[in-house]
Amino acid sequence: MPVDSANDLSSHPLNNRPQGSVMYRRFSDIDELAAFIPEDVRLTQLVCQPFACTSMALNFAIIRFNFNHVNCRLYAVGDKCPGFLTFTCLMHGQGEPVVSNHLCITEDYLWGFDPNRGADMVFPGHSTHCAVHIREDVFVACAQAMDRLDLNVKFLAPNHVYIPETLPSLRGYLHQLYELLQQQSPLLDNPDFQQLILRDFLPLLITALPVQREPLKVSVKAFRRSRLVKQANDYMQAHLDQPLTLTDLCQALGTSNRALCYGFQEIFGMSPMSYLKTLRLQSVYRALKTADSSNTTVTEIASQFGFYHLSYFARDYKQMFGELPSQTLKR
Protein backbone atom coordinates (compact mmCIF):
# COMPACT_ATOMS: atom_id res chain seq x y z
CA MET A 1 0.00 0.00 0.00
CA PRO A 2 2.96 2.43 -0.17
CA VAL A 3 2.46 5.85 -1.75
CA ASP A 4 5.47 7.61 -3.22
CA SER A 5 5.94 11.18 -2.11
CA ALA A 6 8.72 13.58 -3.01
CA ASN A 7 8.16 15.56 0.16
CA ASP A 8 10.37 15.26 3.20
CA LEU A 9 8.15 14.38 6.16
CA SER A 10 10.99 13.08 8.32
CA SER A 11 10.26 15.44 11.21
CA HIS A 12 6.49 15.12 10.96
CA PRO A 13 4.40 13.74 13.87
CA LEU A 14 3.27 10.93 11.55
CA ASN A 15 6.68 9.39 12.18
CA ASN A 16 5.93 8.83 15.86
CA ARG A 17 5.47 5.18 16.81
CA PRO A 18 1.70 4.53 16.46
CA GLN A 19 -0.50 3.13 19.20
CA GLY A 20 -3.26 1.68 17.04
CA SER A 21 -6.34 -0.34 17.82
CA VAL A 22 -8.68 -2.28 15.53
CA MET A 23 -12.41 -2.52 16.25
CA TYR A 24 -15.18 -4.62 14.68
CA ARG A 25 -18.80 -4.21 15.71
CA ARG A 26 -22.25 -5.18 14.50
CA PHE A 27 -25.16 -3.03 15.63
CA SER A 28 -28.90 -3.56 15.70
CA ASP A 29 -29.45 -0.48 17.89
CA ILE A 30 -28.79 2.97 16.42
CA ASP A 31 -28.06 4.44 19.86
CA GLU A 32 -25.24 1.95 20.36
CA LEU A 33 -23.86 2.92 16.94
CA ALA A 34 -24.09 6.60 17.88
CA ALA A 35 -22.05 5.91 21.02
CA PHE A 36 -19.41 4.05 18.98
CA ILE A 37 -18.68 6.65 16.30
CA PRO A 38 -16.44 9.59 17.26
CA GLU A 39 -18.94 12.40 16.57
CA ASP A 40 -21.53 13.44 19.12
CA VAL A 41 -24.53 12.77 16.88
CA ARG A 42 -28.11 11.65 17.21
CA LEU A 43 -29.22 9.03 14.70
CA THR A 44 -32.71 8.58 13.29
CA GLN A 45 -33.73 5.54 11.29
CA LEU A 46 -35.73 6.49 8.19
CA VAL A 47 -37.17 3.07 7.31
CA CYS A 48 -39.59 0.99 9.37
CA GLN A 49 -37.51 -2.21 9.47
CA PRO A 50 -34.95 -3.72 11.88
CA PHE A 51 -31.74 -1.72 11.78
CA ALA A 52 -28.37 -3.32 11.03
CA CYS A 53 -24.93 -1.80 10.72
CA THR A 54 -21.47 -3.30 10.39
CA SER A 55 -18.87 -0.88 11.72
CA MET A 56 -15.10 -1.27 11.57
CA ALA A 57 -12.48 1.18 12.78
CA LEU A 58 -8.72 1.54 12.71
CA ASN A 59 -7.96 3.98 15.46
CA PHE A 60 -4.74 5.92 16.11
CA ALA A 61 -4.29 8.90 18.40
CA ILE A 62 -4.02 11.27 15.44
CA ILE A 63 -6.11 9.54 12.73
CA ARG A 64 -9.14 7.26 12.88
CA PHE A 65 -10.58 5.39 9.91
CA ASN A 66 -14.24 4.48 10.43
CA PHE A 67 -16.21 2.35 7.94
CA ASN A 68 -19.95 1.87 8.34
CA HIS A 69 -22.29 -0.24 6.23
CA VAL A 70 -25.97 0.46 6.98
CA ASN A 71 -28.98 -1.45 5.71
CA CYS A 72 -31.43 1.47 5.65
CA ARG A 73 -31.60 5.24 5.24
CA LEU A 74 -30.17 7.00 8.28
CA TYR A 75 -30.25 10.61 9.44
CA ALA A 76 -27.31 11.87 11.52
CA VAL A 77 -27.25 15.30 13.15
CA GLY A 78 -24.97 16.70 15.85
CA ASP A 79 -21.45 17.88 16.59
CA LYS A 80 -18.15 16.82 15.04
CA CYS A 81 -15.05 15.75 16.95
CA PRO A 82 -13.43 18.84 18.51
CA GLY A 83 -9.86 19.33 17.34
CA PHE A 84 -10.30 16.96 14.37
CA LEU A 85 -11.11 17.36 10.67
CA THR A 86 -13.47 14.75 9.21
CA PHE A 87 -13.15 13.72 5.56
CA THR A 88 -16.03 11.50 4.41
CA CYS A 89 -16.68 9.66 1.17
CA LEU A 90 -19.14 7.10 -0.14
CA MET A 91 -17.52 3.73 -0.76
CA HIS A 92 -20.68 2.05 -2.07
CA GLY A 93 -23.79 4.15 -2.50
CA GLN A 94 -26.08 2.10 -4.74
CA GLY A 95 -26.25 5.14 -7.03
CA GLU A 96 -28.03 7.24 -4.38
CA PRO A 97 -26.51 10.48 -3.09
CA VAL A 98 -25.92 11.59 0.47
CA VAL A 99 -27.71 14.71 1.70
CA SER A 100 -25.12 16.75 3.62
CA ASN A 101 -26.20 20.05 5.18
CA HIS A 102 -29.10 20.10 2.70
CA LEU A 103 -26.85 19.60 -0.36
CA CYS A 104 -26.90 16.64 -2.74
CA ILE A 105 -23.51 14.89 -2.46
CA THR A 106 -22.60 12.15 -4.95
CA GLU A 107 -19.75 9.62 -5.04
CA ASP A 108 -17.48 12.20 -6.73
CA TYR A 109 -17.33 14.35 -3.60
CA LEU A 110 -15.30 14.39 -0.41
CA TRP A 111 -17.23 16.19 2.31
CA GLY A 112 -17.70 17.02 5.98
CA PHE A 113 -14.37 18.75 6.72
CA ASP A 114 -15.51 22.21 7.85
CA PRO A 115 -14.78 22.13 11.63
CA ASN A 116 -17.19 25.03 12.23
CA ARG A 117 -20.20 23.25 10.76
CA GLY A 118 -22.08 20.50 12.56
CA ALA A 119 -22.94 17.13 11.07
CA ASP A 120 -26.30 17.02 9.27
CA MET A 121 -26.43 14.05 6.89
CA VAL A 122 -28.85 11.55 5.38
CA PHE A 123 -27.12 8.34 4.25
CA PRO A 124 -28.77 6.07 1.67
CA GLY A 125 -29.70 2.53 2.57
CA HIS A 126 -27.46 -0.43 1.72
CA SER A 127 -24.49 1.92 1.51
CA THR A 128 -20.95 1.97 2.89
CA HIS A 129 -19.21 5.19 3.79
CA CYS A 130 -15.82 5.97 5.25
CA ALA A 131 -15.13 8.83 7.65
CA VAL A 132 -11.48 9.68 8.32
CA HIS A 133 -10.94 11.81 11.42
CA ILE A 134 -7.58 13.62 11.38
CA ARG A 135 -6.24 15.75 14.20
CA GLU A 136 -6.32 19.29 12.84
CA ASP A 137 -2.78 20.27 13.87
CA VAL A 138 -1.40 17.13 12.19
CA PHE A 139 -3.26 17.90 8.95
CA VAL A 140 -1.98 21.49 8.98
CA ALA A 141 1.62 20.39 9.66
CA CYS A 142 1.53 17.86 6.83
CA ALA A 143 -0.02 20.37 4.42
CA GLN A 144 2.72 22.88 5.26
CA ALA A 145 5.43 20.24 4.79
CA MET A 146 3.99 19.53 1.33
CA ASP A 147 3.80 23.26 0.51
CA ARG A 148 0.00 23.22 0.37
CA LEU A 149 -0.70 26.50 2.14
CA ASP A 150 -3.94 26.76 0.16
CA LEU A 151 -5.49 24.08 2.41
CA ASN A 152 -6.60 26.68 4.92
CA VAL A 153 -9.81 27.90 6.52
CA LYS A 154 -11.01 29.20 3.15
CA PHE A 155 -10.64 25.75 1.62
CA LEU A 156 -12.39 23.99 4.53
CA ALA A 157 -15.35 26.39 4.77
CA PRO A 158 -17.46 25.02 1.85
CA ASN A 159 -17.43 21.61 3.60
CA HIS A 160 -17.21 19.66 0.31
CA VAL A 161 -14.96 19.31 -2.72
CA TYR A 162 -15.65 17.79 -6.15
CA ILE A 163 -12.69 15.57 -7.17
CA PRO A 164 -13.83 13.01 -9.77
CA GLU A 165 -10.28 12.60 -11.16
CA THR A 166 -8.38 12.05 -7.90
CA LEU A 167 -11.00 10.52 -5.61
CA PRO A 168 -10.79 7.03 -7.20
CA SER A 169 -7.14 6.62 -6.08
CA LEU A 170 -8.03 7.77 -2.56
CA ARG A 171 -11.07 5.51 -2.46
CA GLY A 172 -8.93 2.63 -3.79
CA TYR A 173 -6.55 3.01 -0.85
CA LEU A 174 -9.47 3.05 1.58
CA HIS A 175 -10.87 -0.05 -0.12
CA GLN A 176 -7.62 -1.88 0.67
CA LEU A 177 -7.94 -0.90 4.33
CA TYR A 178 -11.60 -1.92 4.31
CA GLU A 179 -10.76 -5.35 2.92
CA LEU A 180 -8.01 -5.87 5.50
CA LEU A 181 -10.49 -4.97 8.24
CA GLN A 182 -13.09 -7.34 6.80
CA GLN A 183 -10.49 -10.12 6.76
CA GLN A 184 -9.38 -9.17 10.29
CA SER A 185 -5.85 -9.29 8.93
CA PRO A 186 -3.08 -9.62 11.55
CA LEU A 187 -1.16 -7.00 9.54
CA LEU A 188 -3.35 -4.32 11.11
CA ASP A 189 -1.97 -5.15 14.56
CA ASN A 190 1.62 -4.80 13.37
CA PRO A 191 3.13 -1.47 14.56
CA ASP A 192 5.37 -1.23 11.47
CA PHE A 193 2.39 -1.68 9.16
CA GLN A 194 0.38 0.84 11.19
CA GLN A 195 3.16 3.39 10.82
CA LEU A 196 3.22 2.72 7.07
CA ILE A 197 -0.49 3.55 6.92
CA LEU A 198 0.05 6.80 8.80
CA ARG A 199 2.93 7.86 6.54
CA ASP A 200 1.08 6.92 3.34
CA PHE A 201 -2.47 8.14 3.79
CA LEU A 202 -2.20 11.82 4.66
CA PRO A 203 0.14 12.70 1.74
CA LEU A 204 -2.22 10.77 -0.54
CA LEU A 205 -5.22 12.72 0.77
CA ILE A 206 -3.49 16.10 0.43
CA THR A 207 -2.30 15.29 -3.09
CA ALA A 208 -5.90 14.39 -4.06
CA LEU A 209 -7.21 17.80 -2.97
CA PRO A 210 -7.22 20.40 -5.78
CA VAL A 211 -5.11 23.54 -5.51
CA GLN A 212 -7.54 26.35 -4.70
CA ARG A 213 -6.29 29.23 -6.84
CA GLU A 214 -9.82 30.14 -7.92
CA PRO A 215 -13.27 29.32 -6.54
CA LEU A 216 -14.58 26.01 -7.85
CA LYS A 217 -17.17 26.38 -10.60
CA VAL A 218 -18.94 23.09 -9.85
CA SER A 219 -22.37 23.72 -8.39
CA VAL A 220 -23.97 21.43 -5.84
CA LYS A 221 -27.69 20.91 -5.92
CA ALA A 222 -29.31 22.53 -2.91
CA PHE A 223 -32.76 21.45 -1.77
CA ARG A 224 -34.86 24.63 -1.78
CA ARG A 225 -37.26 23.28 0.85
CA SER A 226 -34.52 22.29 3.30
CA ARG A 227 -35.29 25.13 5.71
CA LEU A 228 -38.96 24.16 5.76
CA VAL A 229 -38.04 20.52 6.47
CA LYS A 230 -35.76 21.59 9.32
CA GLN A 231 -38.55 23.71 10.83
CA ALA A 232 -40.94 20.78 10.55
CA ASN A 233 -38.42 18.41 12.13
CA ASP A 234 -37.85 20.79 15.04
CA TYR A 235 -41.61 21.18 15.53
CA MET A 236 -42.14 17.41 15.51
CA GLN A 237 -39.34 16.86 18.03
CA ALA A 238 -40.94 19.41 20.36
CA HIS A 239 -44.43 17.86 20.07
CA LEU A 240 -43.79 14.12 20.12
CA ASP A 241 -46.13 13.77 23.09
CA GLN A 242 -49.06 15.52 21.41
CA PRO A 243 -51.54 14.49 18.69
CA LEU A 244 -50.31 15.98 15.40
CA THR A 245 -51.82 15.68 11.93
CA LEU A 246 -50.36 16.83 8.63
CA THR A 247 -52.90 19.67 8.60
CA ASP A 248 -51.83 20.72 12.11
CA LEU A 249 -48.19 20.70 11.02
CA CYS A 250 -48.84 22.76 7.89
CA GLN A 251 -50.89 25.30 9.83
CA ALA A 252 -48.17 25.65 12.47
CA LEU A 253 -45.53 26.24 9.79
CA GLY A 254 -47.69 28.31 7.47
CA THR A 255 -47.10 26.08 4.46
CA SER A 256 -48.99 23.75 2.14
CA ASN A 257 -49.31 19.97 2.28
CA ARG A 258 -47.68 19.72 -1.14
CA ALA A 259 -44.59 21.77 -0.28
CA LEU A 260 -44.01 19.88 2.96
CA CYS A 261 -44.47 16.46 1.37
CA TYR A 262 -42.12 17.30 -1.51
CA GLY A 263 -39.48 18.58 0.93
CA PHE A 264 -39.57 15.45 3.10
CA GLN A 265 -39.47 13.18 0.06
CA GLU A 266 -36.43 15.03 -1.33
CA ILE A 267 -34.37 14.93 1.85
CA PHE A 268 -35.62 11.94 3.87
CA GLY A 269 -37.20 9.82 1.13
CA MET A 270 -40.48 9.52 3.03
CA SER A 271 -43.64 11.47 3.87
CA PRO A 272 -43.82 13.85 6.87
CA MET A 273 -46.20 11.59 8.78
CA SER A 274 -44.11 8.47 8.12
CA TYR A 275 -41.11 10.39 9.45
CA LEU A 276 -43.08 11.45 12.53
CA LYS A 277 -44.08 7.82 13.15
CA THR A 278 -40.43 6.66 13.03
CA LEU A 279 -39.48 9.45 15.47
CA ARG A 280 -42.19 8.37 17.88
CA LEU A 281 -41.40 4.67 17.57
CA GLN A 282 -37.74 5.33 18.30
CA SER A 283 -38.69 7.51 21.27
CA VAL A 284 -40.81 4.66 22.66
CA TYR A 285 -37.93 2.23 22.08
CA ARG A 286 -35.51 4.46 23.99
CA ALA A 287 -37.99 4.91 26.84
CA LEU A 288 -38.67 1.17 27.10
CA LYS A 289 -34.95 0.36 27.21
CA THR A 290 -34.46 2.50 30.31
CA ALA A 291 -37.81 1.91 32.06
CA ASP A 292 -38.34 -0.13 35.20
CA SER A 293 -40.55 -3.04 34.12
CA SER A 294 -41.83 -3.53 37.67
CA ASN A 295 -43.75 -0.25 37.73
CA THR A 296 -44.08 0.76 34.05
CA THR A 297 -46.30 -0.63 31.29
CA VAL A 298 -45.97 -0.54 27.54
CA THR A 299 -49.35 1.19 27.31
CA GLU A 300 -48.21 4.06 29.52
CA ILE A 301 -45.09 4.74 27.47
CA ALA A 302 -46.79 4.27 24.09
CA SER A 303 -49.52 6.75 25.01
CA GLN A 304 -46.91 9.30 26.05
CA PHE A 305 -45.79 9.43 22.42
CA GLY A 306 -49.20 9.51 20.77
CA PHE A 307 -49.85 5.79 20.21
CA TYR A 308 -53.39 5.00 21.32
CA HIS A 309 -54.27 2.06 19.03
CA LEU A 310 -52.07 -0.53 20.68
CA SER A 311 -52.56 -3.31 18.14
CA TYR A 312 -51.35 -1.08 15.28
CA PHE A 313 -48.57 0.26 17.47
CA ALA A 314 -47.33 -3.24 18.38
CA ARG A 315 -47.37 -4.25 14.70
CA ASP A 316 -45.34 -1.19 13.60
CA TYR A 317 -42.98 -1.54 16.56
CA LYS A 318 -42.18 -5.18 15.75
CA GLN A 319 -41.71 -4.33 12.08
CA MET A 320 -39.14 -1.68 13.02
CA PHE A 321 -37.28 -3.34 15.89
CA GLY A 322 -37.84 -7.05 15.28
CA GLU A 323 -39.45 -7.65 18.69
CA LEU A 324 -42.58 -6.75 20.59
CA PRO A 325 -42.50 -3.70 22.90
CA SER A 326 -43.10 -5.98 25.91
CA GLN A 327 -39.91 -7.86 25.04
CA THR A 328 -37.90 -4.61 24.97
CA LEU A 329 -39.31 -3.60 28.35
CA LYS A 330 -38.40 -6.95 29.93
CA ARG A 331 -34.92 -6.81 28.46
Side-chain angles (χ1 to χ4, degrees), residues 32-46:
E32 292 178 4
L33 173 62
F36 176 75
I37 59 181
E39 298 95 341
D40 183 16
V41 295
R42 186 175 183 87
L43 302 178
T44 301
Q45 186 178 334
L46 298 179

Side-chain angles (χ1 to χ4, degrees), residues 265-325:
Q265 194 63 45
E266 283 179 339
I267 294 177
F268 293 132
M270 63 198 313
S271 70
M273 301 317 289
S274 294
Y275 179 77
L276 177 60
K277 183 168 75 172
T278 64
L279 287 183
R280 286 180 162 162
L281 284 170
Q282 288 171 85
S283 296
V284 172
Y285 181 67
R286 291 180 176 119
L288 289 173
K289 285 194 300 181
T290 58
D292 182 353
S293 60
S294 64
N295 57 20
T296 305
T297 66
V298 170
T299 301
E300 289 172 346
I301 293 180
S303 62
Q304 288 176 15
F305 294 99
F307 292 107
Y308 303 108
H309 300 286
L310 294 183
S311 59
Y312 292 127
F313 159 71
R315 180 201 62 190
D316 292 338
Y317 187 96
K318 185 173 183 180
Q319 181 182 355
M320 188 163 188
F321 302 110
E323 64 182 14
L324 292 171

Side-chain angles (χ1 to χ4, degrees), residues 245-252 257 273:
T245 66
L246 181 59
T247 301
D248 295 333
L249 189 58
C250 291
Q251 288 177 348
N257 291 7
M273 301 317 289

Side-chain angles (χ1 to χ4, degrees), residues 37-281:
I37 59 181
E39 298 95 341
D40 183 16
V41 295
R42 186 175 183 87
L43 302 178
T44 301
Q45 186 178 334
L46 298 179
V47 179
C48 199
Q49 68 180 59
F51 173 74
C53 173
T54 300
S55 188
M56 298 180 289
L58 182 58
N59 189 19
F60 305 106
I62 57 176
I63 299 179
R64 174 169 174 162
F65 300 87
N66 208 120
F67 298 88
N68 293 300
H69 177 80
V70 293
N71 71 327
C72 63
R73 289 176 68 87
L74 196 64
Y75 179 40
V77 61
D79 298 323
K80 296 175 182 174
C81 306
F84 281 75
L85 301 178
T86 301
F87 294 85
T88 312
C89 71
L90 269 176
M91 305 288 287
H92 305 286
Q94 302 294 321
E96 291 188 46
V98 167
V99 180
S100 175
N101 295 98
H102 313 301
L103 299 176
C104 182
I105 302 294
T106 67
E107 292 186 0
D108 292 326
Y109 285 86
L110 198 64
W111 81 90
F113 42 76
D114 179 11
N116 299 314
R117 194 182 315 209
D120 189 330
M121 295 174 286
V122 178
F123 292 99
H126 304 288
S127 65
T128 304
H129 71 275
C130 176
V132 184
H133 310 278
I134 305 169
R135 212 172 69 194
E136 189 169 2
D137 61 323
V138 173
F139 178 84
V140 170
C142 192
Q144 291 175 347
M146 297 178 65
D147 198 25
R148 289 297 306 274
L149 302 183
D150 59 299
L151 299 179
N152 50 26
V153 173
K154 186 177 179 181
F155 169 82
L156 298 173
N159 203 44
H160 64 270
V161 62
Y162 180 69
I163 48 174
E165 293 84 11
T166 56
L167 189 53
S169 62
L170 187 65
R171 188 184 286 115
Y173 188 94
L174 293 171
H175 266 298
Q176 293 181 59
L177 273 185
Y178 183 63
E179 289 172 1
L180 290 172
L181 283 165
Q182 282 184 312
Q183 298 162 8
Q184 300 189 27
S185 171
L187 271 176
L188 295 174
D189 295 314
N190 185 311
D192 292 331
F193 190 74
Q194 292 177 355
Q195 188 169 39
L196 182 65
I197 293 171
L198 291 178
R199 287 176 58 84
D200 282 352
F201 179 75
L202 200 46
L204 178 63
L205 170 64
I206 289 172
T207 301
L209 299 175
V211 177
Q212 300 295 291
R213 294 191 176 93
E214 297 180 0
L216 291 178
K217 303 300 183 183
V218 178
S219 61
V220 181
K221 177 186 175 183
F223 296 104
R224 60 191 182 94
R225 299 181 182 88
S226 59
R227 180 173 295 182
L228 175 62
V229 171
K230 183 182 185 307
Q231 291 173 340
N233 184 29
D234 291 344
Y235 190 87
M236 289 177 181
Q237 297 278 4
H239 297 82
L240 289 177
D241 59 343
Q242 300 175 22
L244 187 63
T245 66
L246 181 59
T247 301
D248 295 333
L249 189 58
C250 291
Q251 288 177 348
L253 299 174
T255 189
S256 67
N257 291 7
R258 184 175 181 180
L260 195 61
C261 289
Y262 275 141
F264 268 78
Q265 194 63 45
E266 283 179 339
I267 294 177
F268 293 132
M270 63 198 313
S271 70
M273 301 317 289
S274 294
Y275 179 77
L276 177 60
K277 183 168 75 172
T278 64
L279 287 183
R280 286 180 162 162
L281 284 170

